Amino acid sequence: MGKAEVTVLCSGHPRIAELTLGIALRGYDFSTYKTSPASEGEAEAGGDVPAEPPQAVTHGAAPDARLNDASGQPAEPAADGPAAVVPQPGKARVTVLCSDPESAARAAQDGAALAEGVFFTRDLINEPANVLTTSDFADRLLAMRELGLEVEVLDEDELSRLGMRALLAVGQGSESPSKVVVMRWQGGGDAAPLALVGKGVVFDTGGISIKPAQGMEEMTMDMGGAGTVAGVMRALALRRARANVVGVVGLVENMPDGRAQRPGDIVRSMKGDMIEVVNTDAEGRMVLADILWYAQERFQPAAVVNLATLTGAIIVALGHEKAGLFCNDDTLAGELAKAAEAEGEGIWRMPLAPAYDELIKSRLADIKNSGGRPAGSITAAQFLQRFIRKGTPWAHIDIAGVALPPKETTLAPKGASGWGVLTLDRLVRDRFEPG
């Protein structure tokens, strides 16, 4: 579409809402840091002075998800849905011409909420780490109180009191304070909630086990699991989901510093297990270990799904086409696979087995945080499974290959994909909302 005005003629189309959702998702654009018009090569020499980059950027993609009726005027805000917004100048504008625009707009309300959730996730993942610090991330989530979400932020003192020393150890080399953010949507009465848990490493150098320089700039996306959880919670609030869902995200930065944890350190998790840190670049599972246990202890969830850009090994196994699914419950695994297929997001179930536990046995502690290269994504999942209470249905989704794919996809331009928002919203609809 470029910056054109496009009219879609679909008067008799039975799935106008899905069509408009697809157009919105593919039309996303993140150009916050491109000066205009100089970045497009249109400015005369000396005519444009680049603006100073912002130090905190608010979510700005929402207008792309809005749907107007055929009058060209902003639609009236729905009583329980997102309000329409006039398209931004210089952006593509799409008009859908149909026989019953009011009915089509009502049908598209949930799609608009989903698009905004996906865009929120994409915005977070696309942001640079000098903007999306742990504090800025937490502030953006706190702002979702306006949507009806209950949001609270746990600071380092509270995390220490709770015993989250595995999480705190990851962030102790950074100037950015570690935080845990809890988001709650209570739309389902007294039912036990679904817990969504996300890894939120806003930048990952690897710590003392430092990563190679090549490609490290993409480690701004290592908070992708937390970004997906945040996007799902936003979508659920906007569409007023009739379910109870809690989102818990651990926000840290993994930096090398005189205070940073070292290979060989031993730390105690909130659960009480002692963890030998053999590789400080296996940090995401340390964060998840504590917040998985916290989510179960506090909320007694009906099921737990965690998301994380956890391992490069999953990219070796599945490339950038599918996320890796590890699950201790066949029913939950089947529901997630069905939801992902329905929403066009690739997922593939990977194995869990006690034999892999041998690779992460520690000579000095209860467990070590890495088993090395063999079966790297599986041993990471086995590590996480240790922090799941017996009898709790649990799924771990490794999104390292799909959160920031190297090229455009059917429903996303090149950049952050927002993978998982549609799938998890579908899971909530199919399993946790009344029929």
Side-chain angles (χ1 to χ4, degrees), residues 110 185 187-188 191 235-236 239-245 424-435:
D110 281 359
W185 177 253
L236 295 176
R239 71 173 183 82
R240 299 297 188 261
R242 296 173 298 154
N244 294 337
V245 183
L424 291 172
D425 178 81
R426 174 61 58 186
L427 176 72
V428 171
R429 290 172 186 266
D430 291 349
R431 174 167 175 172
F432 294 95
E433 291 191 78

Side-chain angles (χ1 to χ4, degrees), residues 9-95:
L9 309 178
C10 55
S11 60
H13 200 292
R15 303 184 70 179
I16 293 174
E18 287 83 354
L19 179 67
T20 54
L21 175 58
I23 292 171
L25 292 175
R26 191 60 177 81
Y28 169 87
D29 176 51
F30 187 84
S31 54
T32 301
Y33 303 101
K34 290 186 176 181
T35 56
S36 181
S39 61
E40 304 295 332
E42 300 169 358
E44 297 180 3
D48 243 5
V49 178
E52 182 181 349
Q55 291 304 301
V57 179
T58 56
H59 166 59
D64 294 338
R66 309 301 192 177
L67 303 174
N68 292 348
D69 65 24
S71 68
Q73 299 299 317
E76 290 297 319
D80 57 355
V85 173
V86 176
Q88 299 174 17
K91 300 280 188 181
R93 175 171 180 162
V94 179
T95 300

Side-chain angles (χ1 to χ4, degrees), residues 88-222:
Q88 299 174 17
K91 300 280 188 181
R93 175 171 180 162
V94 179
T95 300
V96 175
L97 190 63
C98 58
S99 56
D100 189 351
E102 291 184 359
S103 294
R106 284 195 298 270
Q109 284 179 3
D110 281 359
L114 280 173
E116 185 162 338
V118 172
F119 287 0
F120 190 58
T121 295
R122 290 177 181 175
D123 284 354
L124 290 168
I125 294 174
N126 281 327
E127 287 285 13
N130 63 318
V131 173
L132 192 74
T133 62
T134 56
S135 296
D136 182 75
F137 200 155
D139 287 344
R140 297 187 193 206
L141 302 187
L142 278 170
M144 290 202 291
R145 287 174 172 171
E146 297 177 0
L147 304 179
L149 284 168
E150 299 176 29
V151 186
E152 59 182 303
V153 178
L154 309 180
D155 62 17
E156 289 185 340
D157 287 342
E158 179 66 9
L159 301 181
S160 180
R161 188 189 68 78
L162 289 166
M164 292 197 197
R165 291 178 177 82
L167 181 150
L168 289 169
V170 174
Q172 69 190 34
S174 172
E175 293 295 324
S176 293
S178 297
K179 299 175 183 289
V180 169
V181 182
V182 180
M183 298 162 280
R184 299 182 70 183
W185 177 253
Q186 290 289 114
D190 297 327
L194 167 67
L196 304 178
V197 179
K199 168 190 171 184
V201 181
V202 296
F203 193 78
D204 182 21
T205 65
I208 300 300
S209 306
I210 197 165
K211 294 177 181 289
Q214 184 175 1
M216 196 192 289
E217 71 278 2
E218 291 191 350
M219 287 300 99
T220 56
M221 54 77 77
D222 211 22

Side-chain angles (χ1 to χ4, degrees), residues 296-317:
Q296 293 167 92
E297 288 282 288
R298 178 174 174 184
F299 298 108
Q300 306 294 313
V304 178
V305 178
N306 74 256
L307 298 99
T309 51
L310 205 64
T311 67
I314 203 66
I315 304 176
V316 175

Side-chain angles (χ1 to χ4, degrees), residues 269-299:
S269 70
M270 182 181 176
K271 178 188 173 187
D273 287 358
M274 303 298 291
I275 304 169
E276 181 187 6
V277 180
V278 298
N279 187 336
T280 64
D281 195 23
E283 85 298 333
R285 65 202 71 179
M286 305 280 287
V287 173
L288 289 170
D290 277 346
I291 57 176
L292 281 168
W293 194 255
Y294 172 79
Q296 293 167 92
E297 288 282 288
R298 178 174 174 184
F299 298 108

